[in-house]
Amino acid sequence: MNHQKSRLGLAVLALSLSVTPALASGQAPSLRTLASARGLLLGGAISGELFNADNPDEAATINREYNAVVAENAMKMRAIANSPDPDNYLFATADAMVASAQKNGQTVRGHTLIWHDSAPAWVYEIQEKTAMRAAMTQYITTVVKHFGNRINIWDVVNEAISDGPGNPLRNNNPFAVAGPDFIALAFRMAHAANPAARLCYNDYSVEGLNGKSNAMYALVKGLLADGVPIHGVGFQSHLDTNFSVRDSGMQANLQRFRDLGLDVQLTEVDVQMVGSGSEKEKLARQAQVYGELLSTCLAVKCSAFMMWGVSDLTSWRAGGKPLIFDGDYVKKPAYGALIKVLQTAGK
Ligand code: G3I
């Protein structure tokens, strides 16, 4: 009898250790609880709304559901380096976001060091190769060292590949003045400033097998062959409800980057609701796409699933209601789809 009792006790102990605290207390598990149990970074972009006293739901939702965050704008060059003088760099907003993340146990993805879109006016005035290399080196070194080990994942170069036919590098990139190796230079400088950081190339419209993802594959393969310290690729995944994970060849595409030994991260997921049908049908289709994106990510052992925002209220493309919380921070069907995948995928 005693023996039986102790066996029962062990079984109960094993059961209690195998369930999450949220489940044990009867609450629904959060995304972050389930993602953390899988070693997956799951979260999203945070904006100034995080500190908006009129919108306490924003911070509450981020901290309840996300184990990782990324600044939507506060770490872009235009936000930090309005002036080329590092003594005048503006870190206050980014530092406040990092402090909030640390307080709430969240990993921070750094976004982004070199991006044509966020380059301040003074960058465009530099027309000489040596001067541009010096400017890039100073900016990257100062910023990466400023955050130090508070940020150990960086989007080093963002959106360098053209959308045009043939998909070479875009021709409106001011940093190209630094020479054809400006991408390699950026990665080398970031690595020198923080050797512990995972360094990523990040782009959009590269989720499936297509000309642009082929160009990205050639780019990163070439960087690896040249010994450039690149560790991962970010697939932004700004999509809509017409996107087909299967028809686009997304899993095969992600897998070929994994086969190069790179981290694969979905970095800016949002799925706009488009097309005809009732609101209910569109919400269901959106949930299906979200679920398939996360399943595919997990199938290739991705390391992050980041969404571009929190709620449809504050999304950069709010009109398309692309996120998993509605304008009142109520969970949409897409939220449930992510929970279900985290609970069941591979089990
Ligand atoms: O901060 C100023 C504010 O002072 C001013 O009053 C206001 C007037 O327009 O502009 C504000 O800056 C805006 C900034 O967002 C903050 O709201 C910029 O004009 C606007 O261009 C900027 O847009 C951001 C965009 O990147 C360009 O940096 C979006 O919020 C942000 O969601 C978007 O994010 C990008 C990723 O970084 C890279 N991948 C694509 C993604 C979507 O475009």
Side-chain angles (χ1 to χ4, degrees), residues 6 11 48 80 105 119 135 150 195 206 220 233-234 258-259 277 282 287 298 308:
S6 69
I80 291 176
R150 293 182 297 158
V206 290
V220 301
V233 176
R258 289 288 291 132
D259 291 344
K282 286 192 229 172
L298 293 175
W308 205 240

Side-chain angles (χ1 to χ4, degrees), residues 265-281:
Q265 308 198 330
L266 304 195
T267 50
E268 304 181 17
V269 178
D270 58 8
V271 181
Q272 291 202 90
M273 299 202 293
V274 295
S276 53
S278 67
E279 186 78 355
K280 196 175 168 196
E281 285 164 345

Side-chain angles (χ1 to χ4, degrees), residues 213-224:
S213 66
N214 289 344
M216 184 167 79
Y217 184 76
L219 172 71
V220 301
K221 204 172 170 190
L223 292 171
L224 288 168

Side-chain angles (χ1 to χ4, degrees), residues 71-328:
E72 183 169 2
N73 290 305
M75 290 181 199
K76 290 175 182 172
M77 194 172 192
R78 198 179 285 149
I80 291 176
N82 235 335
S83 142
D85 179 356
D87 289 340
N88 294 327
Y89 282 7
L90 304 170
F91 286 118
T93 308
D95 280 342
M97 288 181 173
V98 173
S100 167
Q102 288 187 317
K103 191 172 136 209
N104 291 288
Q106 291 152 331
T107 299
V108 181
R109 282 191 98 258
H111 174 86
T112 175
L113 296 169
I114 296 296
W115 183 29
H116 68 282
D117 184 278
S118 76
W122 62 266
V123 170
Y124 284 88
E125 286 161 19
I126 303 174
Q127 296 296 333
E128 200 271 322
K129 179 176 174 177
T130 314
M132 184 60 87
R133 292 177 90 82
M136 284 175 62
T137 301
Q138 181 169 70
Y139 179 72
I140 292 170
T141 306
T142 308
V143 173
V144 173
K145 279 187 186 287
H146 172 83
F147 292 104
N149 284 330
R150 293 182 297 158
I151 299 188
N152 278 326
I153 308 173
W154 277 102
D155 286 335
V156 177
V157 176
N158 194 43
E159 302 177 9
I161 297 169
S162 160
D163 294 316
N167 299 106
L169 297 185
R170 63 171 64 246
N171 59 16
N172 62 340
N173 197 328
F175 299 104
V177 170
D181 66 335
F182 78 96
I183 295 176
L185 173 75
F187 278 92
R188 291 203 163 99
M189 290 305 118
H191 183 64
N194 181 356
R198 305 295 287 174
L199 305 180
C200 300
Y201 175 80
N202 191 52
D203 216 324
Y204 62 88
S205 297
V206 290
E207 293 72 34
L209 289 165
N210 58 41
K212 191 168 176 182
S213 66
N214 289 344
M216 184 167 79
Y217 184 76
L219 172 71
V220 301
K221 204 172 170 190
L223 292 171
L224 288 168
D226 291 343
V228 175
I230 177 171
H231 311 109
V233 176
F235 300 80
Q236 293 185 8
S237 310
H238 291 295
L239 302 168
D240 64 39
T241 45
N242 285 330
F243 181 75
S244 166
V245 169
R246 193 191 55 207
D247 295 349
S248 67
M250 185 167 178
Q251 184 165 335
N253 184 43
L254 300 185
Q255 188 62 52
R256 66 176 167 163
F257 288 89
R258 289 288 291 132
D259 291 344
L260 292 176
L262 294 167
D263 297 346
V264 160
Q265 308 198 330
L266 304 195
T267 50
E268 304 181 17
V269 178
D270 58 8
V271 181
Q272 291 202 90
M273 299 202 293
V274 295
S276 53
S278 67
E279 186 78 355
K280 196 175 168 196
E281 285 164 345
K282 286 192 229 172
L283 286 165
R285 172 69 193 140
Q286 183 182 49
Q288 184 187 356
V289 176
Y290 264 99
E292 289 176 2
L293 289 171
L294 181 55
S295 299
T296 307
C297 189
L298 293 175
V300 303
K301 299 192 169 34
C302 70
S303 46
F305 184 92
M306 305 293 290
M307 292 162 278
W308 205 240
V310 183
S311 82
D312 291 340
L313 178 69
T314 51
S315 162
W316 72 294
R317 43 184 196 172
K321 301 181 188 169
L323 292 168
I324 60 171
F325 296 96
D326 73 12
D328 294 319

